[in-house]
Structures are given as structure tokens and as C-alpha cells.
Amino acid sequence: MNKKHHTIKDYTADSIQSLEGIEHIRLRPSMYIGDVGTRGLHHLVYEVIDNSIDESLAGFCNKIWVTIHKNGFITVLDNGRGIPIDIHKKEGISALEVVMTKIGAGGKFDKNSYKVSGGLHGVGISCVNALSKKLIATIYRNGKIYQQEYLKGKAIDSVKCLGKTNMQGTEIHYIADQSIFNSITYNYEIIANRLKELSFLNKGLFLFLKDERNNIKESFFSKNGLKEYLPILDKNQESLIKNMIFIEGEKDNTFVEIAMQYNTSFKEKIYSYVNNINTYEGGTHLSGFRRALTRTLKKYIDGYGFLSKDKVELIGDDFREGITAIISVRVMEPQFEGQTKTKLSNHEVGGIVDKIVGEMLNIYLEEHPSDRKKIIDKVILAAKARQASRKARELIQKKNPFHNSILPGKLADCSFNNPENCEIYLVEGDSAGGTAKQGRDRKFQAILPLRGKILNVEKAIQYKIFENEEIKNIFTSLGVFIGTEEDQKILNVKKLRYNKIIIMTDADIDGSHISTLILTLFFRYMKPLIEKGHIYIATPPLYLIRKGNHYRYAWNDEERENILHQLGGRKYVHIQRYKGLGEMNAEQLWETTMNPKNRTLRKVKIENDFKAEKTFSILMGDEVTPRRNFIEENAIHAKINV
């Protein structure tokens, strides 16, 4: 895909089209870059890099250097053709100034200059200029060095020739305007991750990153592109089939590249890109892929009569269970829905992807009968599990859990009816549950004791999860349910009965494991409850320190030592180490862990969805090796309370 298009004309001033001015950008920056926080600041860097990537896509650039300077400046240099500097006929100024100061001006609007391009449809570099306090563009072209400076998007002077050079390319050196952005401090990891992603999406392109603030240098390069990227995204999963399926093709100047793999998990992970832009919300290219996958596999299943005995009906989800795929398409004139450009809307692209995937997947399945059988068996198993899961869900709660389901007998409910004022404790064990029931304020606190360790949902097949007694009790008590296929399997939280859901386990290894099992259930099946801030972890104390009639609690070793110091040492002091919640009486449990005036609750948040996904897969999944590696790498950070 990273080919030189020989049909492209000379890249000159006439290739640049101008549409309008840039005053509006400084007035309404969020309309163009999403926001003026961290995301928007880094978006500017991406836009400059995208211009260089466009040169790479056209076949004229294979190296890009990005530098984060100590003084807040960013430099992006490429070895492309260099932006034209000759006079633009329509505007009467240099083509460089047109590109840098006019919205919608750029070679990407001239089909003869670029076949495909990323960036903000030509808004990109002028948008960066408009939101910069200062920007210097240096062009290495035709054996000469040209330069022009800008302040807040406006040229200070005309283009100057600084002398001769053997270099070729474009260098953009700028500092974001601090009066517009909340901060102009760059996060190295964010930029490094984007360059790494770009290296996989543009095989053969060298990307160099230098951070002068702490003298870090890193380079990114991928020889095989998506073929190298997929194993990284899927590295904690066990492969179902021997081979990675790789698909590429071109039709009507739309290039399609797809790498896909089936694993033994029950999750679907599809990453889609259009001209290097991550289309988080999918779009027509993703729909085309899904259609082709379903149609092609269904043809084999129908042809071989796999379902004739079982009377199993298949839906699209069944064909994608356990799939990890990366879809990258290059489109000449992409259209996106919304300002954030995360959903492709070009109708014709769906048909092109559908056709290419259908043809090449069909060839692969014909040539790999063993893989084909494994995939088909998994699809049928997914359909059976889905039907069993639906029946199990219907048994838990018939569409309206709050009114039609009987609450679990183990649940000690609260008397308040307004969920906003209510909270539920999920407590480890019947003994601690009994203590919590005695110690609670029954007006607003409900208690659900859980017997031992609940099922590990990361390893279990879905219908087994919904048949599990403890998990059924959690769903029913909370009043939530998972919708059917028509509801897109979304968790329905309309009938949520408690504003706070508090996990309360022993302060030992087993307690931590039980807490992690419960969190895995919430992350995999009730994630909206975490995202909306409903999930908390209780923090019971580790020590009761008593001297005479006086007693104090300590939540860690440091607090224990401070209290001992205040009490004048260990003489006549009794220290009790709580091994479990059951060792506290009802009054102590209320006073330390359940009383809103004294307790410490830790709210569960998802800061990085990708990292959280990966960590749950490692810690709770089937693969032993990644878990052992994780433990070995992180053991040094673990603290043991003796």
C-alpha cells in the first residue's frame, strides 16, 4: 500500500487549492481539535505528522523525525518533497503561505497530488498554525532552504531563501499558544504510542522520537505492518487456528488491508482505521467486513449441513466471537460523521471491503480445511452458548427484574426506596455477612453475603456464568440485567437499586482474590456501573491497638508504628492483627468500615480501558505464562502485611 503513484503530476503551487481563512479556528478551537486539554494539544502534533505521512503514502517520504523540546516547542521533520514555495496564481502569495494560513488549503484537495491522505481534510496544518503562538516552516526543496515565520497563524514576512542544501523535505517547528490550551506540557507516552501505531499502519516507514526534556530517544519501524501489529494486540490469548488470516486488495483507488485471528476467548476485538485515523465508532468499512465474514462462513455452515440436527439459529455475533482483527483502509475522499471523525460514512467503501474480504476469505477457507473446521465449530458453539445464556437470563429476571423477580433470600435489604440514598455491601462469607447485617444502618445499607470465591468469568463460558447462583444473586439484588441481541447486549441500569455498590472482603490474599473476581465480573458484564462511578471497595483496618480502655485502629504498618510511638512504645499495648472481617464485632465493623463519617471507600475507575482489558486477561485468563511474567515483573511493588 505504501507505493509511489506514478500517475501523480508534479507537486507545485498549482496543486494547492485555497478555500477560506483561519480566524474562526482561534475563536472556536474545540470545533477543530476536539478540546483544549491534553487531547487537543497532542492532536496538533498528530496533524503535523499526518502531513508527513501523506508524503509517505504518496511514495515520497520514508523518514519522519519528531522532537519534544525543553522550551515547549515541537519539531516535525520529514524527507518528503517539501511544500511548494512558488507563487500561487489565485492567491498571489507563496503556496507555502496558502497551506499554512488558509483553511482547507492543501495538496490533498487536488486528486493529482495525493491519492489518499489523513489529517483534518486539509484543515490540519493551518489549524496547528492558528493555535500556535509561533511557528517556523523550513522547506528543503530544489536544492535550496526556504523559511517563513508565523505568529498566531499569520505570516510575519514573505518566504525567505536561506541558502543551498542537499536535503529535501519539510520541517515544522512550533509552540502551542498557552493562552488557548490549559497546558502545553506533552506526555511522551501518548506521542510514542501514536508513532508506534503509525509504524504498524505504514510498513516501511521510519519514525524517530526524541524528548530533549529527559534525553530519551526511540525509533519505530515495522517491516510487515499489520502482520506484526496483530500478535501484539492478541498476545495474551491462545490462538484457535494455526495461521493469521491476512487480506489485502484495491478497488477504485480504495486500498484494503486486514489482519485477523481467531482465539479461544469469547470476546470480539476489532480495531479499524481509515487513512491512519482510528475509527473508534466503526463505520461502513467495519460493516462491510462483518457482512463478508458472516456471509462467507454461513455459506460453509449451510453447505455442510452442520445445523440440521441442532436447530440452532445463527446471528452476526456468533461469527465474531473470539476474533481479533485490524482493518486499515485508504480512501481518496473519506467522509466522517461528527467533528471527532470516528465513524466512516462513505457508502461505497462498505461494498469494496465486503467484496475483497469475501473473495480472499473464501480462498483462505478453501485452502485451510483444518482452520475452517475449527472456526465453524466455534461459531456453532457460540450460537448454542448464546441461546443457553438467553434462557438462563430469562430465568434470572424476566425483562423487568425489579418487579418480576424475587430478591435473593440471603439479601438483607434496606428500608429506603430511593436508590440515590441506598448502598449495598457485597460481603465475603456468611459469617462476615452476619456481622455486617448487625452492624449496618438498615435504613440505607443492604448486605449481600457471598459464599466463597465466585466464578471466574474470564475463563467461564457465558451460559455457565448466568447459571451461577452467586452471580444470579448479584444481578437480581442490584436490579440490573443484560439485554438480548435486540438490545445489543447492553447492561440495563434503569432499575439499579443502589447508588453505591461496595465490595467488602478480608484484608488478606484470599480477600484480594475474591475482590478481583468480583471486579472481573463488573468489568466484563457490568462495565457501565464502573464507568458511572457506582463501584467502591471498602477498606477495613488491619490492626486494633489497645492500651487499657483506649483503643485505636491502623490501616497499615506505618499507621501502626505511629500509634505505638504516640502511646509511648509497646509496653502494656495489645496489638490484634485482623485476619478477616469475622474477627470484628458488629460495632467495630460499623465504626471502622461502614459508618459514612469514618470509613474510607476507594472508588473504582477505568483510566485506561486498553490496559485494564489487558490486565484482566493476564491475571484472570487461561494463559499461565503471561500471568507468571506479570507477577515476576510486579512482585517488587507488592507489600506484605505480617
Side-chain angles (χ1 to χ4, degrees), residues 20-21 53 108 196 234 338 359 413 427 448 469 574 606:
E20 56 182 272
I53 294 276
K108 56 191 75 176
K196 186 178 181 182
D234 210 33
E359 288 172 1
D413 209 357
V427 185
L448 179 66
E469 194 62 35
H574 174 72
I606 303 169

Side-chain angles (χ1 to χ4, degrees), residues 352-547:
I352 292 168
V353 174
D354 187 332
K355 188 173 188 299
I356 291 170
V357 173
E359 288 172 1
M360 294 198 71
L361 183 59
N362 194 54
I363 292 167
Y364 179 88
L365 295 171
E366 284 291 342
E367 293 176 353
H368 299 82
S370 171
D371 283 356
R372 182 179 71 218
K373 185 176 186 310
K374 285 177 183 173
I375 294 170
I376 286 169
D377 285 348
K378 183 161 178 64
V379 170
I380 293 167
L381 183 64
K384 288 178 179 176
R386 176 179 48 79
Q387 289 182 333
S389 160
R390 185 176 61 198
K391 286 174 185 172
R393 283 201 302 267
E394 286 167 357
L395 286 173
I396 300 174
Q397 54 248 115
K398 295 178 180 172
K399 204 62 175 159
N400 196 332
F402 190 58
H403 296 297
N404 296 339
S405 281
I406 299 168
L407 292 168
K410 297 175 85 173
L411 173 70
D413 209 357
C414 54
S415 56
F416 284 172
N417 289 324
N418 184 355
E420 204 53 43
N421 304 320
C422 298
E423 56 189 44
I424 184 171
Y425 279 83
L426 307 181
V427 185
E428 170 192 349
D430 289 332
S431 169
T435 310
K437 286 176 186 178
Q438 291 170 29
R440 68 178 174 142
D441 184 329
R442 63 182 63 239
K443 291 197 294 291
F444 69 97
Q445 290 178 320
I447 309 292
L448 179 66
L450 300 173
R451 191 190 305 115
K453 293 179 180 177
I454 73 162
L455 185 69
N456 181 358
V457 300
E458 193 71 16
K459 292 182 181 179
I461 198 160
Q462 198 180 70
Y463 73 89
K464 293 281 185 192
I465 294 164
F466 292 108
E467 285 177 352
N468 180 271
E469 194 62 35
E470 299 300 302
I471 290 173
K472 280 200 286 189
N473 286 345
I474 291 172
F475 271 99
T476 313
S477 299
L478 298 182
V480 298
F481 65 92
I482 294 175
T484 57
E485 304 80 56
E486 298 79 41
D487 299 317
Q488 300 175 308
K489 293 187 179 175
I490 292 169
L491 185 79
N492 193 319
V493 296
K494 289 177 186 172
K495 301 290 182 182
L496 180 65
R497 305 180 64 239
Y498 310 96
N499 185 41
K500 283 190 176 76
I501 300 157
I502 303 162
I503 301 166
M504 187 161 72
T505 60
D506 291 347
D508 60 8
I509 298 297
D510 276 346
S512 296
H513 190 204
I514 291 166
S515 180
T516 307
L517 286 165
I518 298 170
L519 282 174
T520 308
L521 171 67
F522 281 118
F523 184 77
R524 290 297 181 210
Y525 290 92
M526 295 184 256
K527 194 190 275 187
L529 296 181
I530 303 177
E531 292 167 340
K532 292 176 188 296
H534 292 296
I535 310 297
Y536 296 82
I537 296 174
T539 318
L542 283 175
Y543 302 101
L544 170 64
I545 302 163
R546 191 188 297 275
K547 187 174 184 179

Side-chain angles (χ1 to χ4, degrees), residues 1-35:
M1 242 189 291
N2 193 4
K3 301 169 187 167
K4 187 164 182 172
H5 303 297
H6 296 289
T7 55
I8 293 174
K9 289 184 196 169
D10 290 338
Y11 184 38
T12 64
D14 296 336
S15 308
I16 306 298
Q17 295 180 21
S18 170
L19 302 182
E20 56 182 272
I22 60 168
E23 291 79 9
H24 195 251
I25 300 176
R26 289 183 62 81
L27 195 65
R28 301 275 186 273
S30 296
M31 284 180 62
Y32 297 87
I33 57 166
D35 63 41

Side-chain angles (χ1 to χ4, degrees), residues 207-251:
L207 295 138
F208 305 93
L209 178 58
K210 182 180 180 184
D211 189 343
E212 290 183 346
R213 297 171 302 182
N214 41 27
N215 204 25
I216 299 175
K217 290 181 182 178
E218 209 171 343
S219 59
F220 308 90
F221 173 81
S222 171
K223 186 181 177 184
N224 297 307
L226 300 190
K227 290 179 184 175
E228 290 177 45
Y229 197 16
L230 189 71
I232 290 171
L233 295 175
D234 210 33
K235 71 176 179 182
N236 297 316
Q237 301 296 341
E238 181 189 348
S239 297
L240 179 75
I241 56 178
K242 287 181 183 176
N243 308 283
M244 181 192 301
I245 302 172
F246 185 72
I247 292 167
E248 67 178 334
E250 178 197 352
K251 188 175 186 286

Side-chain angles (χ1 to χ4, degrees), residues 69-81:
H69 298 281
K70 287 180 181 176
N71 58 3
F73 273 86
I74 292 282
T75 301
V76 178
L77 168 68
D78 67 49
N79 65 344
R81 292 169 291 180

